[in-house]
Amino acid sequence: MVSRLPNPAPPEIVDVFIARLGAGAVSVADHDRWLYARDMYPVTLMHYAEGSLRHFPDLIVHPANTEEVVAVIDLARSFNMPVIPFGAGSGVCGGTMPIRGGVMLDLKRMHRILEVNDRDLTVRAQAGIMGQTLEMELNRRGFTMGHFPSSIHCSTLGGWVAARSAGQCSSKYGKIEDMVLGLEFVLPDGTIARTPAVPHGGAGPSWQQIVLGSEGTLGVVTEATCRIWPAPAQRRFLAYEFSDVRTGVEAMRLVMQNDLRPAAMRLYDPLDTLMVGKSGAEEDSGGSGLMDFIPVQQIETRLRTLIPRAFRRTQRFVAGYAEIGNKLEKLSKGECLMVLMFEGETRLTDYEFEATQHLCDRLGGINRGPEPAMKWFRNRHHVSYKMSKVFYNGAFVDTIEVAASWTRLPALYDAVRAAIRPLAFVMAHFSHAYPDGGSIYFTFLSSAPNATEAERKHKAIWHAALTAAMAVKATISHHHGIGLSKGEYLRRELGEWFPVFETLKSVMDAENRFNPGKLGLA
Ligand SMILES: Cc1cc2nc3c(=O)[nH]c(=O)nc-3n(C[C@H](O)[C@H](O)[C@H](O)COP(=O)(O)OP(=O)(O)OC[C@H]3O[C@@H](n4cnc5c(N)ncnc54)[C@H](O)[C@@H]3O)c2cc1C
């Protein structure tokens, strides 16, 4: 059943926005309202595939500068409309879903780099710049931001800040919250508030850190000043195979706690190792899927190769994911592949490379040479924007990224897997390692006869997984944020701090205009 679009904002309101921003910067076109009705939250993708999206913006605006952002906020206040800041819509938790309609505030026209300071090693840019554009421009000048989310081609600087993003190289460069030095932020009453870009300031609480991860609920990021690095002089690649997950995780811990900082270090669990293939051969990758964070096509191709009979029996690829996962486990001997990449100053990376090999050898790891890691590097941003066929076949896929200390990480892996396995095919990799712990990235696939059933099952899987994660004192999100989907779990994770957050929201945004209903807020 295809949704009927509700009426857009009435012409008398649209005209006022057009008078302020210009006709080209305001849209109520049906196709735009469809596009801005969803982000990459799999539940909305299911509804999109079925034509049953439920929430649409009343209008979409494209301000060109901070003053126009302020003007949009003033108009939204005068017409009592919600405002939803929008980067590139790559969020995977429904963060931009206009659940109460309102003004979709797309920042992508604000895409300028304002300053690169090669002495302080900082960049100041407008919030709507796309990640890849920012990185390419920095590379052209001999620098890197060191921030490489898989979505770098389809996400913005402002979206990274708002959703506390992590790049694939966060073990070396940190997450976005480690990179941001100063912000320009428009508060819900239209005030432009700036935090000065000072190194490690100690002047009272950090307002910047409150904005980081606020996902559009407290106002709009319009500019950010971030740390940058000299472009790496050298990159080296390495891969190891470990006998089991626990030995691999122990290797990661030792690497990080011995002051080594590989830019990337990813350990695939046995099922994920089967999926990526242990060699560096390109045919193993199966090309790009719906998106790198859910490599659907790759999984489908590998599953068909590994257990063709199961497919013949189930006819539809999507029919029995949980059972397929169990069968597949029997094919695996439990080995786990780890890929590593070192980058930076030549002598330093040479030292890190050698010392890491030494640690992995000591744990009985088998050196698999550079190719598997080079293959990962070549494919790391392969993202297809086509809707995967699995969504049309009644299947759904999603990822869960949780994090915990080293002590709790193995228990976290066991608990979440055990919680999901009865309902879905699940595999995982460990990435984003730090001296005190790291994150686990679970990918699950399941199926249901229609979008409503799929949504119910999807919710049950998430509930089982996050309940299990919280039981072992892990955080419910390492970098995808909270959005619409994880609100109730944020409430539980924050405990006594949640009412403080609610109070802060009610003070900063007394009219509850900014991205209402997200992050577990009213
Ligand atoms: C293929 C794929 C791969 C991904 N890989 C990664 C990854 O490796 N690492 C990672 O961290 N994430 C990843 N993500 C998730 C997503 O890219 C991040 O959450 C990203 O930070 C969102 O940026 P965006 O500009 O698309 O924001 P949007 O999706 O547009 O918005 C996200 C949230 O931030 C708010 N927001 C956006 N811009 C602003 C602003 N200027 N001011 C205030 N609030 C704002 C929105 O209201 C919303 O709540 C991936 C997503 C996809 C689809």
Side-chain angles (χ1 to χ4, degrees):
M1 181 206 51
V2 176
S3 314
R4 246 191 98 244
L5 271 173
N7 288 334
E12 57 275 21
I13 292 186
V14 178
D15 287 347
V16 179
F17 277 92
I18 289 177
R20 181 64 185 81
L21 304 178
V26 180
S27 175
V28 285
D30 283 359
H31 56 264
D32 280 338
R33 293 177 67 224
W34 268 99
L35 281 177
Y36 286 87
R38 65 163 180 92
D39 56 12
M40 297 303 276
Y41 176 33
V43 168
T44 54
L45 296 180
M46 294 173 208
H47 286 289
Y48 186 77
E50 203 182 62
S52 59
L53 284 171
R54 294 171 194 158
H55 307 289
F56 297 87
D58 296 310
L59 79 164
I60 300 115
V61 296
H62 305 270
N65 52 46
T66 302
E67 288 63 42
E68 289 193 359
V69 170
V70 174
V72 168
I73 294 173
D74 282 347
L75 294 179
R77 290 177 74 197
S78 65
F79 297 119
N80 195 20
M81 298 170 89
V83 175
I84 302 114
F86 188 97
S90 70
V92 289
C93 311
T96 59
M97 270 172 70
I99 53 174
R100 297 184 199 157
V103 182
M104 197 58 82
L105 178 61
D106 184 331
L107 288 131
K108 279 195 293 300
R109 272 180 78 208
M110 295 174 59
H111 53 70
R112 283 190 305 130
I113 293 180
L114 303 167
E115 186 189 356
V116 176
N117 186 321
D118 59 9
R119 188 164 173 80
D120 294 340
L121 289 185
T122 57
V123 60
R124 185 163 67 89
Q126 289 182 307
I129 189 166
M130 297 297 285
Q132 184 63 17
T133 311
L134 176 57
E135 180 62 23
M136 275 164 45
E137 185 52 33
L138 288 172
N139 292 169
R140 206 179 57 78
R141 301 181 195 203
F143 302 105
T144 178
M145 173 109 168
H147 191 71
F148 307 98
S150 306
S151 54
I152 192 164
H153 292 279
C154 60
S155 57
T156 62
L157 175 61
W160 294 348
V161 173
R164 280 232 235 176
S165 164
Q168 293 161 344
C169 299
S170 67
S171 298
K172 179 177 174 71
Y173 299 104
K175 289 182 67 196
I176 195 75
E177 61 260 37
D178 306 310
M179 300 174 184
V180 173
L181 298 169
L183 285 177
E184 182 185 84
F185 191 66
V186 185
L187 296 167
D189 68 357
T191 306
I192 303 172
R194 294 185 179 88
T195 55
V198 290
H200 300 288
S206 168
W207 298 104
Q208 209 156 274
Q209 290 295 336
I210 286 169
V211 167
L212 277 145
S214 60
E215 298 185 35
T217 60
L218 300 178
V220 192
V221 179
T222 44
E223 228 180 82
T225 304
C226 299
R227 193 167 282 134
I228 55 173
W229 302 63
Q234 155 167 273
R235 252 185 213 125
R236 294 193 71 178
F237 298 91
L238 183 61
Y240 264 84
E241 189 180 319
F242 292 96
S243 54
D244 51 50
V245 166
R246 277 174 164 69
T247 315
V249 171
E250 183 60 3
M252 294 177 90
R253 181 182 75 83
L254 289 178
V255 168
M256 294 310 293
Q257 293 184 349
N258 275 279
D259 262 354
L260 307 171
R261 292 291 175 270
M265 178 164 56
R266 297 158 74 89
L267 175 75
Y268 300 98
D269 82 350
L271 280 185
D272 214 337
T273 299
L274 274 178
M275 289 300 138
V276 295
K278 283 186 225 160
S279 77
E282 212 53 62
E283 58 271 20
D284 276 336
S285 93
S288 56
L290 166 69
M291 30 187 129
D292 180 61
F293 89 119
I294 308 176
V296 186
Q297 226 61 53
Q298 177 181 336
I299 294 169
E300 183 174 279
T301 310
R302 290 292 289 169
L303 284 176
R304 281 187 191 286
T305 317
L306 291 165
I307 41 172
R309 277 180 43 223
F311 279 92
R312 275 203 293 278
R313 265 206 310 278
T314 53
Q315 303 234 323
R316 283 172 71 201
F317 164 62
V318 299
Y321 277 123
E323 304 93 273
I324 286 174
N326 293 337
K327 281 192 179 55
L328 208 55
E329 229 150 64
K330 296 203 182 93
L331 288 180
S332 154
K333 296 194 187 72
E335 297 106 343
C336 301
L337 180 74
M338 181 193 280
V339 295
L340 296 117
M341 180 183 78
F342 303 83
E343 68 174 34
E345 196 274 325
T346 309
R347 275 173 307 168
L348 184 59
T349 46
D350 283 345
Y351 171 74
E352 290 180 318
F353 185 85
E354 304 299 333
T356 299
Q357 277 186 313
H358 182 65
L359 287 173
C360 293
D361 290 341
R362 254 179 45 203
L363 287 171
I366 303 169
N367 191 328
R368 291 283 175 203
E371 260 308 317
M374 290 168 73
K375 185 181 89 173
W376 164 77
F377 186 73
R378 282 192 298 273
N379 294 318
R380 72 199 188 288
H381 298 313
H382 275 191
V383 170
S384 163
Y385 298 99
K386 282 191 207 139
M387 176 80 76
S388 167
K389 277 184 269 176
V390 300
F391 281 96
Y392 295 106
N393 285 340
F396 57 91
V397 290
D398 202 352
T399 59
I400 298 177
E401 27 66 66
V402 284
S405 61
W406 292 115
T407 316
R408 299 180 195 281
L409 215 52
L412 175 63
Y413 173 69
D414 292 340
V416 174
R417 240 168 64 86
I420 298 179
R421 277 184 67 198
L423 298 164
F425 169 75
V426 57
M427 58 188 200
H429 66 256
F430 297 71
S431 51
H432 307 287
Y434 310 103
D436 51 334
S439 81
I440 313 180
Y441 196 83
F442 294 93
T443 302
F444 66 81
L445 294 87
S446 194
S447 57
N450 55 48
T452 311
E453 268 304 298
E455 186 173 354
R456 198 193 49 72
K457 196 166 179 188
H458 179 264
K459 202 171 174 187
I461 293 169
W462 270 95
H463 180 73
L466 294 188
T467 306
M470 281 192 285
V472 296
K473 297 196 164 36
T475 178
I476 56 168
S477 175
H478 174 260
H479 59 267
H480 284 165
I482 303 299
L484 182 65
S485 58
K486 298 181 217 162
E488 69 176 274
Y489 305 97
L490 180 67
R491 186 179 278 273
R492 281 161 60 186
E493 178 164 332
L494 290 189
E496 304 75 37
W497 285 102
F498 197 82
V500 179
F501 181 33
E502 285 178 307
T503 306
L504 179 74
K505 165 78 173 169
S506 68
V507 172
M508 288 181 70
D509 183 19
E511 291 158 341
N512 195 17
R513 187 169 315 290
F514 271 77
N515 212 0
K518 307 293 168 57
L519 273 63
L521 296 163

